Amino acid sequence: MIPQDYISSFSFDQRLAPYDIQGSIAHVAMLASQKIIPVSDSKKIIAGLEAIQRDLEKGKTIPKAEDIHFAIENELVKRIGEVGKKMHTARSRNDQVALDLKLYVRDIAKKIIEQIKQTQNGILNCAIKNQKTVMPGFTHLQHGQPIFFAHHILAYAWMLERDKSRFLDLLKRLDECPLGACAMAGTTFSIDRNETAKLLGFSRVTENSIDTVSDRDFILDFNFSSALLMVHLSRLAEEFIIWSSQEFNYITLADPFTSGSSIMPQKRNPDALELLRGKASRSIGNITELLTLIKGQPLSYNRDLQEDKPPLFDTADTTLSSLLLASQIFETLTVNSKKMEESCHKGFLLSTEVADYLAKKGMPFRKAHAIVSKIVKSMLAENKDFKDLSLSELKSFSQLFEKDLFQILSPQKAAQFKNSYGGTGVNALTTQISKLKSLLK
Ligand code: ARG
């Protein structure tokens, strides 16, 4: 005999209880309106289920069983007697569990969408608060061009916008009620699947009973969308860890998001962000686990599917708590604008500006690029920056240089005028911020 502990999912599927009860109430109501069971029986069953739900909400527990479906049915029969056994007419745990999971994913995906909006708002507020701060923009983690800090962090708001659209999208695909597929073949009872679908807020029913009880695509959709979202947050965590290091010192994390070291008294470690980065690995592990779980299963339901729950629940919890953490980090962050601006004077950040200057005066860009490379080499050799060069020194590289070059040679200006759509420039940034604002309304 298989040990009960081995076969049982009760320890982890308890959180499906409210969805299981909601599904059973709809199912029983339909059985009565289709005259499959008497209305008087359905009333007793529904009242019994509602009482169980109320008790669970009060924190009461029900005795454990093989899974949450059996546990609730046992409890119902214990409370209302034999009539409770009619609840499972024209239903199987296979369509029942598919329904519970869909209801759960639908609920949690909506919560995640709301939390994404909150995190986006946190980013947006931080961007607005620090709209004038200039910092080096990076490629290859090397200084590239001056940008506004706000522009950099808003990149994450747009990643989250795509994440949000993935959750909205999966909600559309998930919007088919599985109830009525029964074990895998449908039933001879004259059930009305559209009625249960309507009662449970689905806009349609699934088309193929075999697919219905085998399908966990909605969980994979959810876990993939969550894993990608976590990857986005992990990139953010990584940047903020680097930026909060002594070498960068671009930002200071609020105290509650750091921890000290047990031996080095001076330390404020970015533990919260490290955990965020670490938890992204869990989410990636969970989607991998689910893909692997499904890939070898013949149709239709197999008990392997019971194992879909731990990675689903774990990912749901991780995503929600990580989003919340990210929004709190943005709300409490100190931006060290001075340090960011100072860094703009390292790494010849204005080189592209100088090359563009020559190109705007008619020099082919490739040639301008080569000339500025030469200037950078000579500045490196003489330990100078653009601002240390005289006009005559510059003219020795190209006669096109004039005094007006010095007007554009500041990080602030270099960033300010990059107003091509979606660029870092002041006007482009204002457009970007108002677009995001209206999306988040
Ligand atoms: N606890 C099971 C699960 O999570 C419920 C479905 C059981 N179905 C079956 N045919 N044994 O998948």
Side-chain angles (χ1 to χ4, degrees), residues 180-198:
C182 303
M184 49 88 75
T187 176
T188 52
F189 287 100
S190 60
I191 58 171
D192 180 353
R193 293 192 61 200
N194 288 315
E195 184 184 338
T196 36
K198 204 164 160 216

mmCIF file with all atom_site columns, all heavy atoms in Angstrom, residues 180-198:
data_model
loop_
_atom_site.group_PDB
_atom_site.id
_atom_site.type_symbol
_atom_site.label_atom_id
_atom_site.label_alt_id
_atom_site.label_comp_id
_atom_site.label_asym_id
_atom_site.label_entity_id
_atom_site.label_seq_id
_atom_site.pdbx_PDB_ins_code
_atom_site.Cartn_x
_atom_site.Cartn_y
_atom_site.Cartn_z
_atom_site.occupancy
_atom_site.B_iso_or_equiv
_atom_site.pdbx_formal_charge
_atom_site.auth_seq_id
_atom_site.auth_comp_id
_atom_site.auth_asym_id
_atom_site.auth_atom_id
_atom_site.pdbx_PDB_model_num
ATOM 1   N N   . GLY A 1 180 ? -17.412 19.696 -15.896 1.00 0.00 ? 180 GLY A N   1
ATOM 2   C CA  . GLY A 1 180 ? -18.281 18.943 -16.800 1.00 0.00 ? 180 GLY A CA  1
ATOM 3   C C   . GLY A 1 180 ? -17.487 18.005 -17.689 1.00 0.00 ? 180 GLY A C   1
ATOM 4   O O   . GLY A 1 180 ? -18.050 17.147 -18.372 1.00 0.00 ? 180 GLY A O   1
ATOM 5   N N   . ALA A 1 181 ? -16.159 18.161 -17.695 1.00 0.00 ? 181 ALA A N   1
ATOM 6   C CA  . ALA A 1 181 ? -15.334 17.207 -18.447 1.00 0.00 ? 181 ALA A CA  1
ATOM 7   C C   . ALA A 1 181 ? -15.335 15.864 -17.710 1.00 0.00 ? 181 ALA A C   1
ATOM 8   O O   . ALA A 1 181 ? -15.054 14.814 -18.279 1.00 0.00 ? 181 ALA A O   1
ATOM 9   C CB  . ALA A 1 181 ? -13.918 17.739 -18.596 1.00 0.00 ? 181 ALA A CB  1
ATOM 10  N N   . CYS A 1 182 ? -15.678 15.948 -16.407 1.00 0.00 ? 182 CYS A N   1
ATOM 11  C CA  . CYS A 1 182 ? -15.704 14.778 -15.523 1.00 0.00 ? 182 CYS A CA  1
ATOM 12  C C   . CYS A 1 182 ? -14.352 14.079 -15.536 1.00 0.00 ? 182 CYS A C   1
ATOM 13  O O   . CYS A 1 182 ? -13.329 14.739 -15.565 1.00 0.00 ? 182 CYS A O   1
ATOM 14  C CB  . CYS A 1 182 ? -16.874 13.876 -15.893 1.00 0.00 ? 182 CYS A CB  1
ATOM 15  S SG  . CYS A 1 182 ? -18.428 14.799 -15.814 1.00 0.00 ? 182 CYS A SG  1
ATOM 16  N N   . ALA A 1 183 ? -14.337 12.750 -15.523 1.00 0.00 ? 183 ALA A N   1
ATOM 17  C CA  . ALA A 1 183 ? -13.042 12.072 -15.391 1.00 0.00 ? 183 ALA A CA  1
ATOM 18  C C   . ALA A 1 183 ? -12.159 12.347 -16.596 1.00 0.00 ? 183 ALA A C   1
ATOM 19  O O   . ALA A 1 183 ? -10.964 12.578 -16.478 1.00 0.00 ? 183 ALA A O   1
ATOM 20  C CB  . ALA A 1 183 ? -13.246 10.582 -15.217 1.00 0.00 ? 183 ALA A CB  1
ATOM 21  N N   . MET A 1 184 ? -12.784 12.315 -17.807 1.00 0.00 ? 184 MET A N   1
ATOM 22  C CA  . MET A 1 184 ? -12.046 12.606 -19.040 1.00 0.00 ? 184 MET A CA  1
ATOM 23  C C   . MET A 1 184 ? -12.927 12.501 -20.280 1.00 0.00 ? 184 MET A C   1
ATOM 24  O O   . MET A 1 184 ? -12.535 12.887 -21.366 1.00 0.00 ? 184 MET A O   1
ATOM 25  C CB  . MET A 1 184 ? -10.822 11.692 -19.222 1.00 0.00 ? 184 MET A CB  1
ATOM 26  C CG  . MET A 1 184 ? -11.061 10.215 -19.035 1.00 0.00 ? 184 MET A CG  1
ATOM 27  S SD  . MET A 1 184 ? -11.577 9.358  -20.540 1.00 0.00 ? 184 MET A SD  1
ATOM 28  C CE  . MET A 1 184 ? -10.065 9.270  -21.401 1.00 0.00 ? 184 MET A CE  1
ATOM 29  N N   . ALA A 1 185 ? -14.151 11.942 -20.106 1.00 0.00 ? 185 ALA A N   1
ATOM 30  C CA  . ALA A 1 185 ? -14.955 11.643 -21.290 1.00 0.00 ? 185 ALA A CA  1
ATOM 31  C C   . ALA A 1 185 ? -16.287 12.376 -21.336 1.00 0.00 ? 185 ALA A C   1
ATOM 32  O O   . ALA A 1 185 ? -17.060 12.200 -22.272 1.00 0.00 ? 185 ALA A O   1
ATOM 33  C CB  . ALA A 1 185 ? -15.204 10.138 -21.352 1.00 0.00 ? 185 ALA A CB  1
ATOM 34  N N   . GLY A 1 186 ? -16.563 13.210 -20.314 1.00 0.00 ? 186 GLY A N   1
ATOM 35  C CA  . GLY A 1 186 ? -17.896 13.798 -20.232 1.00 0.00 ? 186 GLY A CA  1
ATOM 36  C C   . GLY A 1 186 ? -18.808 12.869 -19.448 1.00 0.00 ? 186 GLY A C   1
ATOM 37  O O   . GLY A 1 186 ? -18.332 11.976 -18.740 1.00 0.00 ? 186 GLY A O   1
ATOM 38  N N   . THR A 1 187 ? -20.113 13.066 -19.575 1.00 0.00 ? 187 THR A N   1
ATOM 39  C CA  . THR A 1 187 ? -21.042 12.285 -18.747 1.00 0.00 ? 187 THR A CA  1
ATOM 40  C C   . THR A 1 187 ? -22.370 12.038 -19.474 1.00 0.00 ? 187 THR A C   1
ATOM 41  O O   . THR A 1 187 ? -22.705 12.751 -20.429 1.00 0.00 ? 187 THR A O   1
ATOM 42  C CB  . THR A 1 187 ? -21.322 13.033 -17.415 1.00 0.00 ? 187 THR A CB  1
ATOM 43  O OG1 . THR A 1 187 ? -22.285 12.300 -16.667 1.00 0.00 ? 187 THR A OG1 1
ATOM 44  C CG2 . THR A 1 187 ? -21.882 14.429 -17.653 1.00 0.00 ? 187 THR A CG2 1
ATOM 45  N N   . THR A 1 188 ? -23.103 11.027 -18.978 1.00 0.00 ? 188 THR A N   1
ATOM 46  C CA  . THR A 1 188 ? -24.434 10.763 -19.540 1.00 0.00 ? 188 THR A CA  1
ATOM 47  C C   . THR A 1 188 ? -25.513 11.611 -18.861 1.00 0.00 ? 188 THR A C   1
ATOM 48  O O   . THR A 1 188 ? -26.634 11.703 -19.347 1.00 0.00 ? 188 THR A O   1
ATOM 49  C CB  . THR A 1 188 ? -24.810 9.273  -19.351 1.00 0.00 ? 188 THR A CB  1
ATOM 50  O OG1 . THR A 1 188 ? -24.629 8.951  -17.972 1.00 0.00 ? 188 THR A OG1 1
ATOM 51  C CG2 . THR A 1 188 ? -23.950 8.375  -20.215 1.00 0.00 ? 188 THR A CG2 1
ATOM 52  N N   . PHE A 1 189 ? -25.155 12.229 -17.710 1.00 0.00 ? 189 PHE A N   1
ATOM 53  C CA  . PHE A 1 189 ? -26.126 13.122 -17.062 1.00 0.00 ? 189 PHE A CA  1
ATOM 54  C C   . PHE A 1 189 ? -26.326 14.353 -17.932 1.00 0.00 ? 189 PHE A C   1
ATOM 55  O O   . PHE A 1 189 ? -25.384 14.811 -18.585 1.00 0.00 ? 189 PHE A O   1
ATOM 56  C CB  . PHE A 1 189 ? -25.608 13.571 -15.679 1.00 0.00 ? 189 PHE A CB  1
ATOM 57  C CG  . PHE A 1 189 ? -25.657 12.488 -14.634 1.00 0.00 ? 189 PHE A CG  1
ATOM 58  C CD1 . PHE A 1 189 ? -24.500 11.782 -14.301 1.00 0.00 ? 189 PHE A CD1 1
ATOM 59  C CD2 . PHE A 1 189 ? -26.838 12.174 -13.983 1.00 0.00 ? 189 PHE A CD2 1
ATOM 60  C CE1 . PHE A 1 189 ? -24.530 10.793 -13.333 1.00 0.00 ? 189 PHE A CE1 1
ATOM 61  C CE2 . PHE A 1 189 ? -26.873 11.184 -13.018 1.00 0.00 ? 189 PHE A CE2 1
ATOM 62  C CZ  . PHE A 1 189 ? -25.723 10.483 -12.692 1.00 0.00 ? 189 PHE A CZ  1
ATOM 63  N N   . SER A 1 190 ? -27.549 14.910 -17.881 1.00 0.00 ? 190 SER A N   1
ATOM 64  C CA  . SER A 1 190 ? -27.802 16.065 -18.748 1.00 0.00 ? 190 SER A CA  1
ATOM 65  C C   . SER A 1 190 ? -27.364 17.353 -18.053 1.00 0.00 ? 190 SER A C   1
ATOM 66  O O   . SER A 1 190 ? -28.181 18.188 -17.661 1.00 0.00 ? 190 SER A O   1
ATOM 67  C CB  . SER A 1 190 ? -29.281 16.126 -19.136 1.00 0.00 ? 190 SER A CB  1
ATOM 68  O OG  . SER A 1 190 ? -30.046 16.251 -17.947 1.00 0.00 ? 190 SER A OG  1
ATOM 69  N N   . ILE A 1 191 ? -26.064 17.465 -17.867 1.00 0.00 ? 191 ILE A N   1
ATOM 70  C CA  . ILE A 1 191 ? -25.535 18.670 -17.184 1.00 0.00 ? 191 ILE A CA  1
ATOM 71  C C   . ILE A 1 191 ? -25.614 19.879 -18.115 1.00 0.00 ? 191 ILE A C   1
ATOM 72  O O   . ILE A 1 191 ? -25.716 19.715 -19.330 1.00 0.00 ? 191 ILE A O   1
ATOM 73  C CB  . ILE A 1 191 ? -24.066 18.451 -16.723 1.00 0.00 ? 191 ILE A CB  1
ATOM 74  C CG1 . ILE A 1 191 ? -23.167 18.111 -17.921 1.00 0.00 ? 191 ILE A CG1 1
ATOM 75  C CG2 . ILE A 1 191 ? -23.983 17.399 -15.635 1.00 0.00 ? 191 ILE A CG2 1
ATOM 76  C CD1 . ILE A 1 191 ? -21.687 18.080 -17.605 1.00 0.00 ? 191 ILE A CD1 1
ATOM 77  N N   . ASP A 1 192 ? -25.557 21.055 -17.509 1.00 0.00 ? 192 ASP A N   1
ATOM 78  C CA  . ASP A 1 192 ? -25.502 22.277 -18.313 1.00 0.00 ? 192 ASP A CA  1
ATOM 79  C C   . ASP A 1 192 ? -24.182 22.981 -17.994 1.00 0.00 ? 192 ASP A C   1
ATOM 80  O O   . ASP A 1 192 ? -24.061 23.704 -17.003 1.00 0.00 ? 192 ASP A O   1
ATOM 81  C CB  . ASP A 1 192 ? -26.705 23.179 -17.971 1.00 0.00 ? 192 ASP A CB  1
ATOM 82  C CG  . ASP A 1 192 ? -26.699 24.468 -18.795 1.00 0.00 ? 192 ASP A CG  1
ATOM 83  O OD1 . ASP A 1 192 ? -25.699 24.709 -19.530 1.00 0.00 ? 192 ASP A OD1 1
ATOM 84  O OD2 . ASP A 1 192 ? -27.679 25.232 -18.700 1.00 0.00 ? 192 ASP A OD2 1
ATOM 85  N N   . ARG A 1 193 ? -23.214 22.739 -18.831 1.00 0.00 ? 193 ARG A N   1
ATOM 86  C CA  . ARG A 1 193 ? -21.875 23.295 -18.574 1.00 0.00 ? 193 ARG A CA  1
ATOM 87  C C   . ARG A 1 193 ? -21.884 24.816 -18.636 1.00 0.00 ? 193 ARG A C   1
ATOM 88  O O   . ARG A 1 193 ? -21.114 25.466 -17.940 1.00 0.00 ? 193 ARG A O   1
ATOM 89  C CB  . ARG A 1 193 ? -20.863 22.731 -19.581 1.00 0.00 ? 193 ARG A CB  1
ATOM 90  C CG  . ARG A 1 193 ? -20.613 21.230 -19.390 1.00 0.00 ? 193 ARG A CG  1
ATOM 91  C CD  . ARG A 1 193 ? -19.395 20.788 -20.192 1.00 0.00 ? 193 ARG A CD  1
ATOM 92  N NE  . ARG A 1 193 ? -18.197 21.464 -19.762 1.00 0.00 ? 193 ARG A NE  1
ATOM 93  C CZ  . ARG A 1 193 ? -17.093 21.572 -20.481 1.00 0.00 ? 193 ARG A CZ  1
ATOM 94  N NH1 . ARG A 1 193 ? -17.041 21.030 -21.698 1.00 0.00 ? 193 ARG A NH1 1
ATOM 95  N NH2 . ARG A 1 193 ? -16.044 22.204 -20.024 1.00 0.00 ? 193 ARG A NH2 1
ATOM 96  N N   . ASN A 1 194 ? -22.731 25.352 -19.511 1.00 0.00 ? 194 ASN A N   1
ATOM 97  C CA  . ASN A 1 194 ? -22.754 26.816 -19.622 1.00 0.00 ? 194 ASN A CA  1
ATOM 98  C C   . ASN A 1 194 ? -23.260 27.471 -18.342 1.00 0.00 ? 194 ASN A C   1
ATOM 99  O O   . ASN A 1 194 ? -22.829 28.549 -17.977 1.00 0.00 ? 194 ASN A O   1
ATOM 100 C CB  . ASN A 1 194 ? -23.622 27.250 -20.807 1.00 0.00 ? 194 ASN A CB  1
ATOM 101 C CG  . ASN A 1 194 ? -22.911 26.934 -22.111 1.00 0.00 ? 194 ASN A CG  1
ATOM 102 O OD1 . ASN A 1 194 ? -21.722 27.201 -22.252 1.00 0.00 ? 194 ASN A OD1 1
ATOM 103 N ND2 . ASN A 1 194 ? -23.622 26.322 -23.050 1.00 0.00 ? 194 ASN A ND2 1
ATOM 104 N N   . GLU A 1 195 ? -24.166 26.763 -17.659 1.00 0.00 ? 195 GLU A N   1
ATOM 105 C CA  . GLU A 1 195 ? -24.682 27.343 -16.416 1.00 0.00 ? 195 GLU A CA  1
ATOM 106 C C   . GLU A 1 195 ? -23.567 27.447 -15.368 1.00 0.00 ? 195 GLU A C   1
ATOM 107 O O   . GLU A 1 195 ? -23.380 28.498 -14.750 1.00 0.00 ? 195 GLU A O   1
ATOM 108 C CB  . GLU A 1 195 ? -25.855 26.520 -15.875 1.00 0.00 ? 195 GLU A CB  1
ATOM 109 C CG  . GLU A 1 195 ? -26.441 27.197 -14.638 1.00 0.00 ? 195 GLU A CG  1
ATOM 110 C CD  . GLU A 1 195 ? -27.551 26.405 -13.957 1.00 0.00 ? 195 GLU A CD  1
ATOM 111 O OE1 . GLU A 1 195 ? -28.186 25.550 -14.613 1.00 0.00 ? 195 GLU A OE1 1
ATOM 112 O OE2 . GLU A 1 195 ? -27.768 26.643 -12.758 1.00 0.00 ? 195 GLU A OE2 1
ATOM 113 N N   . THR A 1 196 ? -22.824 26.345 -15.183 1.00 0.00 ? 196 THR A N   1
ATOM 114 C CA  . THR A 1 196 ? -21.745 26.419 -14.171 1.00 0.00 ? 196 THR A CA  1
ATOM 115 C C   . THR A 1 196 ? -20.703 27.454 -14.584 1.00 0.00 ? 196 THR A C   1
ATOM 116 O O   . THR A 1 196 ? -20.200 28.201 -13.747 1.00 0.00 ? 196 THR A O   1
ATOM 117 C CB  . THR A 1 196 ? -21.073 25.043 -13.929 1.00 0.00 ? 196 THR A CB  1
ATOM 118 O OG1 . THR A 1 196 ? -21.017 24.337 -15.160 1.00 0.00 ? 196 THR A OG1 1
ATOM 119 C CG2 . THR A 1 196 ? -21.790 24.239 -12.902 1.00 0.00 ? 196 THR A CG2 1
ATOM 120 N N   . ALA A 1 197 ? -20.400 27.492 -15.889 1.00 0.00 ? 197 ALA A N   1
ATOM 121 C CA  . ALA A 1 197 ? -19.406 28.464 -16.356 1.00 0.00 ? 197 ALA A CA  1
ATOM 122 C C   . ALA A 1 197 ? -19.851 29.877 -15.980 1.00 0.00 ? 197 ALA A C   1
ATOM 123 O O   . ALA A 1 197 ? -19.071 30.677 -15.450 1.00 0.00 ? 197 ALA A O   1
ATOM 124 C CB  . ALA A 1 197 ? -19.235 28.350 -17.870 1.00 0.00 ? 197 ALA A CB  1
ATOM 125 N N   . LYS A 1 198 ? -21.131 30.146 -16.220 1.00 0.00 ? 198 LYS A N   1
ATOM 126 C CA  . LYS A 1 198 ? -21.654 31.487 -15.945 1.00 0.00 ? 198 LYS A CA  1
ATOM 127 C C   . LYS A 1 198 ? -21.614 31.787 -14.439 1.00 0.00 ? 198 LYS A C   1
ATOM 128 O O   . LYS A 1 198 ? -21.174 32.866 -14.021 1.00 0.00 ? 198 LYS A O   1
ATOM 129 C CB  . LYS A 1 198 ? -23.095 31.560 -16.457 1.00 0.00 ? 198 LYS A CB  1
ATOM 130 C CG  . LYS A 1 198 ? -23.516 32.960 -16.760 1.00 0.00 ? 198 LYS A CG  1
ATOM 131 C CD  . LYS A 1 198 ? -24.765 33.004 -17.613 1.00 0.00 ? 198 LYS A CD  1
ATOM 132 C CE  . LYS A 1 198 ? -25.370 34.387 -17.447 1.00 0.00 ? 198 LYS A CE  1
ATOM 133 N NZ  . LYS A 1 198 ? -26.797 34.386 -17.457 1.00 0.00 ? 198 LYS A NZ  1
#
